[in-house]
Amino acid sequence: MTWFAHIARHRSFTRAAAEMEVTRAALSQHLKGLEQQLNVRLLHRTTRDMSLTEEGQRLLDVLQPALTAIERAVMELGEAHEEPSGLIRMNASRIAARLLIEPHMGAFLARYPKLRLELVMNDGFSNIVADGMDAGIRLGESLHDHMVAVPVTPPIEMAIVGSPEYFARHGVPEEPADLMRHNCLAYRFTSSGTIDRWSFTSPDADGRTVLFEPRGNAVFNDDENLLNAAVQGVGLIKYLDICVRQHLADGRLVRVLAPWCRPFPGFYLYVPSRAQMPAKIRALMDFLVERREQLAHASREAVPAGHRTAAAKHKRR
C-alpha cells in the first residue's frame, strides 16, 4: 500500500521507482499483487497516461494521512536518540527520591525542557518492566543480578544517630549490646510489613555480624517522620549516613557505634536494557552520575567536627 501511494502521488511508475530505488518492474508487480489481493482496480493505466480509479482515490485518501503520521512517528523516534524528549516513568524508594530526585528535579527539567518526569515512590522492589517503568532507583544490595545498573551515589553506611539531648539523658552505647537499654525507634517496610533490623559488623579481626531488632516506643513507615523523631530526642534511629550529614554538621544529631557500621554499595539507577537506550534515559543516567560525583566530593570535604561522635561529646561534659 505504501508503494501504491508513491505511484499515485507521482502518477508515474518511473518516477516512483526512482524515488524508492527499486525497478519499475518490481513496482508494477507489487501494485498488481495489491489489486489482486483487494480484488479491485486501483489505477487506470496506458502506455502514456495513468489515473486513479474511484476505488484507488478512496484508498489513497485514507492512506495519505496514515502514512504521514507513521513517517512523523519514525522521525520522532530517530530524534529521540539525539535530543532527550518524552516521558520518563521512574520508580524510587521514598528516601532515594528525597535524596537524589527532589532536590535536583528543577535543574534536570531545566536542562532538558522536552522531558517530563513521572515519579512513583514505592519502598518495595519494583519490577520496572512489569510495572511499565523506564527506570528505578534502589540500594545496590536490593538489585537482582540481571539488572543493568549504574551507581548514583558513593558507597554509604548505616548510621546510628540521636539528639545531643537524648544522649545527655540516657548515656552513650559503646557496642550493639548496649542498645538493649536505649529507646531504639523502628522502621516498618510498607511492602512486606516487617521491621527493619539493624545489622552491625564487629570492628575487630573476626568481623562477626550482630543483628538487632529495635523495640522502642514508636514505629514508623516513613523515613522523614523517623528522622524528625530522632531530632526531637525521642530515641535512636538507624539512617543512611549520606542523608544525615547536615544534621551531624549542625549538631542536631550525633552518631554512635560508627566503628560497627561498614560501608556498602549505595543507590543505583537500574534500567531494563543497555541496548538501544533512549536519549531520555541516557540523559537521566548522566545527570545522576554527575550528582554522584558531587556527593562524593561533599563527603570528602565534610567538616570533621560535624561528624563528632556522641561518645566524644559525652566525655567533654
Side-chain angles (χ1 to χ4, degrees):
M1 286 190 290
T2 303
W3 288 26
F4 159 71
H6 279 281
I7 297 168
R9 186 171 71 250
H10 288 288
R11 296 294 197 272
S12 165
F13 280 96
T14 301
R15 286 195 295 270
E19 180 188 56
M20 301 177 69
E21 298 182 346
V22 297
T23 66
R24 187 182 186 283
L27 200 57
S28 178
Q29 191 64 33
H30 274 281
L31 177 64
K32 183 178 179 181
L34 176 61
E35 289 179 324
Q36 290 175 344
Q37 185 175 354
L38 297 177
N39 195 28
V40 66
R41 193 167 191 64
L42 299 174
L43 291 173
H44 296 302
R45 46 196 182 273
T46 68
T47 55
R48 294 176 61 89
D49 297 304
M50 176 187 302
S51 63
L52 287 166
T53 65
E54 180 183 356
E55 293 80 7
Q57 186 64 58
R58 282 162 47 194
L59 179 60
L60 182 63
D61 289 344
V62 174
L63 283 178
Q64 281 288 63
L67 292 174
T68 299
I70 291 170
E71 289 172 0
R72 184 183 303 115
V74 170
M75 181 180 66
E76 289 174 353
L77 284 175
E79 291 174 350
H81 288 273
E82 298 172 2
E83 181 178 6
S85 62
L87 174 66
I88 298 176
R89 301 189 71 229
M90 181 168 57
N91 186 296
S93 64
R94 281 174 286 188
I95 195 167
R98 288 168 182 153
L99 173 68
L100 301 171
I101 304 301
E102 292 176 6
H104 310 295
M105 188 179 298
F108 177 67
L109 295 177
R111 182 183 296 186
Y112 304 107
K114 292 186 178 181
L115 282 180
R116 294 180 296 126
L117 182 64
E118 180 177 341
L119 181 60
V120 178
M121 289 188 283
N122 180 358
D123 289 331
F125 181 78
S126 171
N127 184 330
I128 55 176
V129 176
D131 295 342
M133 299 288 166
D134 297 299
I137 299 179
R138 287 293 182 279
L139 288 172
E141 60 187 17
S142 304
L143 295 178
H144 298 153
D145 292 338
H146 66 275
M147 282 292 169
V148 177
V150 174
V152 291
T153 68
I156 56 182
E157 297 178 4
M158 284 298 180
I160 308 302
V161 296
S163 71
E165 295 76 18
Y166 175 88
F167 291 116
R169 294 194 307 268
H170 301 284
V172 178
E174 301 291 343
E175 58 183 38
D178 297 338
L179 294 174
M180 296 295 295
R181 301 189 297 273
H182 285 266
N183 189 36
C184 297
L185 309 180
Y187 179 86
R188 187 183 300 278
F189 293 109
T190 304
S191 55
S192 63
T194 58
I195 293 292
D196 184 22
R197 295 195 296 175
W198 301 5
S199 177
F200 301 96
T201 302
S202 170
D204 53 29
D206 63 1
R208 70 185 187 282
T209 298
V210 177
L211 293 178
F212 172 77
E213 183 167 334
R215 299 182 182 275
N217 60 6
V219 179
F220 302 87
N221 72 344
D222 180 80
D223 299 280
E224 193 167 14
N225 292 336
L226 180 72
L227 182 60
N228 289 338
V231 171
Q232 293 172 28
V234 177
L236 304 185
I237 65 169
K238 181 188 81 168
Y239 217 76
L240 298 179
D241 68 331
I242 201 171
C243 297
V244 292
R245 284 174 181 162
Q246 188 57 48
H247 292 76
L248 296 173
D250 61 24
R252 284 182 291 173
L253 292 174
V254 287
R255 185 176 179 180
V256 296
L257 303 176
W260 289 80
C261 299
R262 297 272 182 92
F264 59 91
F267 284 104
Y268 282 70
L269 176 75
Y270 64 103
V271 297
S273 172
R274 197 181 299 273
Q276 297 174 324
M277 184 180 293
K280 61 182 181 180
I281 302 304
R282 172 59 63 186
L284 175 65
M285 185 176 291
D286 292 344
F287 182 85
L288 291 177
V289 168
E290 286 180 23
R291 303 286 85 73
R292 179 188 69 194
E293 297 306 317
Q294 292 176 4
L295 286 169
H297 179 74
S299 178
R300 291 191 296 268
E301 298 296 321
V303 180
H307 294 272
R308 290 196 297 264
T309 64
K313 290 188 174 185
H314 186 68
K315 288 176 181 176
R316 284 197 294 272
R317 285 191 173 94

